[in-house]
């Protein structure tokens, strides 16, 4: 091999080496570009997710809390003003109404028909009732009602003192060592050695649990009435009265709930400062709710306070219960013995409503849900048997179409994917209501029943002890059950705190039946 050929080979090798280096550089650049593209796609997905979250939180913070679908602007509303909804064009003639229309009477009379009446007669006397022309006294000729007003009488406290009278016999029998003495029996109070009477306790419970007024605010109100009592004392009154007189009925309610065939359940977070499990006060406890269905003769609304959200709680509450349970998708309700869960279409629809407005597919899913609710409202007047037949023919096809639709949606992440997965995982529970006409399409009844606890929690924020939380649960149970049975809560609580301390229900538990909200004597006295 000559020198020229060796140089040529050497240059070719250098060239090949240089080409290999350039190829490696290109491969590295392509790999870097691919990584950057992948990173950009991830960042784009993250930005879309964050935008979706911002829109969702903004809607939660500033938007309407109602889940009702917005009405088409071209559609007239039932209670709307057609003049405002269909503005006149410039070419249409207008007519100005100049006369005054007489206001419809009877509204004020309807509002005040049950109030006692105090008449104030405005009359003329002396010179005001003398004729300016002849100077003679004027005679009455008639009267008319000019104005009505409602007057308020503030609450009034007074002290009731029970005095027991003693009696002795004047018999002169020399064989008797002492005279026969007998004392009149005094009714027992709800709390021994306490100033709290039945009406005071009833008003205290009414203020806190029905009106959501915490004890630190009630402390000021009781002071304005003339009773200087601390918030700690008020809280102790609630705990003591609940455990002594409400707990027996509270346990009886739970026993009767377990005998039902269909129930609703829900829970909400709660805070207990001094926890017995050693966890910090910032840990969330729970208020559990179980209630009867709407169409039942004796409705019961039951609350239970617990430190945890574990499945063991609902297992204990529903011990010996056999039937259907309306609930949400929380895993604790899954695979309960002898219990068939019924899903909530309001939860399923809500998850699609939380999706960003840019996703038209979410709107279509909401439309399917609205159709199901609309048809269900049309069947509300039917018997359970007829409702089940109509559901099979009218609602089941829409549900099948709904699931075919969401199965065709392709999405990787975000709230739309969350809504689809929830609906698919809950399919068996969401279609269970089709099997029985007594079942509901949603768990809204339980969500409405849990609202008093949520409102109260916003006011008094927390319970200091576990016993305080349990007392609150008892009070809510008695009050909401009383309301569900059409009772006046204040009268019912007054009756309980007055009669139960003087009733031997511990010896004869059957006596508690007379204190249930639907008993004849309670309905007659506390309706």
């Amino acid at each position: 091999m000559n020198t020229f050929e060796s140089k040529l080979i050497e240059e070719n090798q250098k060239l090949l080496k240089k080409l290999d280096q350039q190829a490696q550089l290109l491969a590295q650049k392509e790999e870097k570009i691919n990584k950057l593209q992948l990173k950009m796609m991830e960042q784009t997905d993250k930005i879309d997710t964050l935008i979706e979250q911002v829109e969702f939180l903004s809607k939660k913070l500033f938007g309407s809390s109602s889940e009702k679908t917005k009405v088409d602007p071209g559609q007239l509303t039932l209670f709307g003003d057609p003049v405002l909804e269909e503005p006149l064009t410039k070419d249409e003639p207008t007519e100005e109404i100049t006369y005054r229309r007489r206001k419809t009477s009877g509204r004020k009379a309807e509002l005040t028909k049950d109030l006692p009446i105090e008449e104030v007669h405005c009359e003329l006397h002396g010179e005001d009732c003398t004729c300016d022309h002849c100077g003679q006294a004027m005679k009455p000729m008639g009267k008319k009602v000019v104005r009505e007003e409602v007057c308020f009488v503030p609450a009034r406290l007074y002290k009731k003192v029970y005095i027991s009278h003693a009696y002795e016999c004047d018999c002169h029998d020399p064989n008797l060592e002492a005279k026969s003495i007998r004392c009149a029996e005094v009714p027992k109070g709800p709390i021994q050695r306490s100033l709290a009477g039945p009406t005071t306790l009833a008003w205290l419970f009414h203020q806190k649990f029905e009106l959501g007024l915490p004890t630190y605010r009630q402390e000021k109100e009781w002071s304005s009435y003339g009773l200087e009592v601390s918030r700690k004392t008020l809280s102790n009154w609630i705990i003591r009265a609940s455990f002594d007189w409400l707990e027996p009925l509270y346990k009886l309610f739970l026993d009767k709930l377990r005998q039902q065939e269909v129930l609703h359940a829900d829970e909400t977070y709660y805070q207990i400062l001094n926890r017995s499990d050693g966890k910090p006060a910032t840990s969330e406890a729970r208020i559990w709710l179980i209630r009867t269905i709407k169409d039942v003769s004796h409705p019961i609304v039951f609350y239970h306070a617990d430190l945890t959200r574990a499945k063991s709680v609902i297992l204990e509450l529903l011990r010996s219960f056999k039937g259907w349970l309306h609930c949400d998708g929380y895993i604790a309700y899954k695979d309960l013995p002898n219990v068939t869960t019924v899903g909530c279409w309001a939860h399923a629809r809500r998850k699609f409503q939380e999706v960003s407005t840019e996703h038209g597919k979410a709107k279509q899913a909401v439309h399917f849900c609205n159709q199901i609710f609309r048809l269900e409202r049309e069947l509300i007047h039917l018997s359970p048997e007829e409702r089940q037949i109509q559901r099979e023919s009218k609602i089941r096809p829409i549900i099948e179409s709904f699931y075919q639709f969401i199965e065709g949606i392709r999405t990787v992440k975000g709230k739309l994917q969350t809504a689809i997965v929830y609906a698919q995982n809950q399919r068996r529970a969401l279609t269970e209501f089709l099997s029985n006409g007594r079942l509901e399409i949603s768990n809204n009844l339980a969500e409405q029943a849990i609202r008093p606890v949520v409102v109260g929690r916003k006011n008094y924020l927390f319970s200091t002890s576990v016993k305080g939380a349990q007392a609150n649960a008892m009070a809510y149970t008695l009050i909401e059950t009383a309301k569900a049975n059409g009772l006046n809560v204040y009268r019912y609580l007054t009756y309980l705190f007055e009669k139960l301390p003087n009733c031997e229900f511990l010896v004869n538990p059957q006596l508690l039946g007379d204190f249930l909200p639907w008993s004849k004597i309670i309905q007659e006295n506390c309706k």
Side-chain angles (χ1 to χ4, degrees):
M1 182 182 296
N2 56 28
T3 306
F4 176 75
E5 289 178 349
S6 62
K7 287 183 178 181
L8 185 60
I9 292 173
E10 186 179 353
E11 288 179 359
N12 287 336
Q13 290 176 348
K14 290 181 179 180
L15 183 60
L16 289 173
K17 188 176 181 180
K18 190 174 182 180
L19 289 174
D20 289 339
Q21 291 176 351
Q22 291 179 350
Q24 290 178 1
L25 288 174
L26 286 174
Q28 292 176 358
K29 289 182 179 179
E30 287 181 1
E31 185 180 0
K32 191 174 182 179
I33 290 171
N34 291 334
K35 289 182 178 179
L36 289 173
Q37 288 178 344
L38 183 61
K39 189 175 182 179
M40 288 178 62
M41 292 176 62
E42 292 176 352
Q43 289 178 343
T44 301
D45 291 341
K46 189 174 182 179
I47 289 172
D48 292 340
T49 303
L50 291 174
I51 290 174
E52 190 177 45
Q53 290 178 356
V54 170
E55 290 180 354
F56 168 70
L57 294 174
S58 298
K59 182 180 178 181
K60 278 285 186 182
L61 186 59
F62 302 109
S64 172
S65 59
S66 175
E67 294 182 5
K68 293 182 179 179
T69 307
K70 292 183 179 179
V71 180
D72 189 332
Q75 179 181 355
L76 294 179
T77 60
L78 180 61
F79 301 103
D81 188 351
V83 177
L84 298 178
E85 294 175 353
E86 296 182 2
L88 298 172
T89 61
K90 294 182 179 179
D91 298 333
E92 292 179 344
T94 60
E95 179 183 1
E96 183 179 356
I97 305 297
T98 57
Y99 64 88
R100 297 181 64 185
R101 182 174 297 171
R102 185 175 181 180
K103 188 175 181 180
T104 305
S105 61
R107 173 63 176 166
K108 293 181 179 179
E110 179 67 22
L111 289 174
T112 59
K113 64 179 181 179
D114 297 326
L115 298 180
I117 298 175
E118 176 186 344
E119 294 184 351
V120 179
H121 293 270
C122 301
E123 301 175 325
L124 296 178
H125 301 280
E127 296 181 357
D128 295 333
C129 195
T130 302
C131 179
D132 295 335
H133 298 286
C134 65
Q136 294 183 0
M138 305 180 74
K139 298 179 180 180
M141 61 170 291
K143 58 183 179 180
K144 67 176 181 177
V145 176
V146 178
R147 183 170 66 89
E148 295 180 353
E149 66 182 19
V150 176
C151 299
F152 172 71
V153 180
R156 179 177 64 90
L157 295 181
Y158 66 94
K159 183 167 60 175
K160 182 183 290 187
V161 180
Y162 289 89
I163 302 173
S164 176
H165 290 259
Y167 302 86
E168 66 175 353
C169 180
D170 290 335
C171 58
H172 302 286
D173 189 347
N175 297 324
L176 293 176
E177 297 180 358
K179 293 183 178 181
S180 177
I181 299 176
R182 188 177 300 171
C183 296
E185 187 177 355
V186 176
K188 297 177 182 178
I191 301 178
Q192 297 298 319
R193 296 181 298 276
S194 172
L195 289 173
T199 54
T200 302
L201 288 175
W203 191 253
L204 170 63
F205 276 70
H206 161 73
Q207 290 273 80
K208 179 175 180 180
F209 301 106
E210 226 185 335
L211 303 184
L213 195 65
T215 52
Y216 77 89
R217 294 182 189 170
Q218 290 199 52
E219 181 182 13
K220 300 177 183 178
E221 186 172 5
W222 287 107
S223 177
S224 68
Y225 295 158
L227 180 63
E228 297 292 340
V229 59
S230 68
R231 65 193 73 175
K232 184 177 181 180
T233 300
L234 295 175
S235 298
N236 288 336
W237 285 356
I238 291 174
I239 295 174
R240 185 74 181 273
S242 297
F243 276 91
D244 286 350
W245 311 119
L246 302 188
E247 188 177 24
L249 291 171
Y250 178 77
K251 292 180 178 179
L252 189 57
F253 286 156
L254 182 57
D255 291 338
K256 292 188 175 298
L257 273 177
R258 291 168 176 164
Q259 300 171 12
Q260 300 292 317
E261 293 183 357
V262 187
L263 293 175
H264 290 262
D266 199 5
E267 20 63 52
T268 186
Y269 70 89
Y270 199 76
Q271 188 177 11
I272 300 175
L273 297 186
N274 300 327
R275 299 172 61 99
S276 58
D277 56 2
K279 292 184 178 180
T282 53
S283 302
E284 287 186 357
R286 279 293 185 276
I287 294 290
W288 295 76
L289 163 77
I290 304 176
R291 68 153 299 156
T292 53
I293 58 176
K294 180 170 54 178
D295 299 327
V296 67
S297 56
H298 304 324
I300 298 175
V301 187
F302 184 87
Y303 301 86
H304 170 73
D306 208 286
L307 293 173
T308 178
R309 200 189 181 195
K311 188 172 184 176
S312 57
V313 179
I314 195 67
L315 281 172
E316 174 60 25
L317 290 175
L318 295 182
R319 187 183 70 238
S320 75
F321 168 71
K322 298 179 181 180
W324 289 270
L325 180 67
H326 293 83
C327 56
D328 54 25
Y330 178 42
I331 194 172
Y333 299 114
K334 188 177 180 181
D335 299 329
L336 295 174
N338 302 317
V339 175
T340 302
T341 55
V342 184
C344 176
W345 276 97
H347 276 79
R349 180 176 62 177
R350 190 178 305 149
K351 292 188 179 298
F352 284 101
Q353 289 175 329
E354 292 173 355
V355 179
S356 172
T357 55
E358 296 180 0
H359 294 280
K361 294 181 179 179
K363 287 185 177 180
Q364 290 178 267
V366 172
H367 178 67
F368 276 107
C369 297
N370 289 341
Q371 284 184 289
I372 297 172
F373 277 94
R374 178 180 59 81
L375 290 173
E376 182 65 20
R377 285 193 295 270
E378 295 176 358
L379 308 178
I380 194 171
H381 63 284
L382 301 179
S383 66
E385 294 76 14
E386 294 175 339
R387 189 181 301 122
Q388 181 180 352
I389 296 174
Q390 293 297 320
R391 282 173 173 175
E392 282 291 335
S393 61
K394 295 182 178 180
I395 298 181
R396 185 179 286 277
I398 297 178
I399 293 178
E400 297 295 335
S401 300
F402 166 77
Y403 276 102
Q404 290 177 4
F405 170 72
I406 63 174
E407 286 172 1
I409 300 176
R410 295 292 177 264
T411 181
V412 179
K413 59 177 66 176
K415 288 192 171 296
L416 180 58
Q417 176 68 12
T418 303
I420 293 173
V421 171
Y422 178 87
Q424 290 175 336
N425 292 341
Q426 291 289 309
R427 181 167 185 171
R428 200 280 315 155
L430 288 172
T431 55
E432 182 62 32
F433 78 99
L434 298 172
S435 66
N436 190 331
R438 295 185 66 196
L439 303 180
E440 297 287 339
I441 193 175
S442 72
N443 198 31
N444 284 342
L445 202 62
E447 293 192 354
Q448 293 168 5
I450 206 77
R451 191 170 295 131
V453 177
V454 177
V455 173
R457 183 184 63 205
K458 289 182 178 179
N459 288 287
Y460 52 75
L461 302 179
F462 54 81
S463 289
T464 304
S465 63
V466 176
K467 290 192 69 174
Q470 292 172 345
N472 288 354
M474 295 177 195
Y476 277 120
T477 298
L478 268 293
I479 288 174
E480 294 303 321
T481 302
K483 290 164 63 176
N485 286 272
L487 299 183
N488 180 300
V489 173
Y490 172 73
R491 291 180 188 172
Y492 181 53
L493 291 175
T494 301
Y495 187 89
L496 294 181
F497 293 138
E498 181 180 351
K499 302 297 183 180
L500 280 175
N502 299 281
C503 176
E504 298 294 333
F505 62 86
L506 294 176
V507 179
N508 187 4
Q510 294 181 351
L511 295 176
L512 285 175
D514 294 335
F515 296 91
L516 294 173
W518 49 83
S519 70
K520 182 179 179 181
I521 188 171
I522 293 296
Q523 288 288 321
E524 290 176 352
N525 288 275
C526 309
K527 191 69 174 179

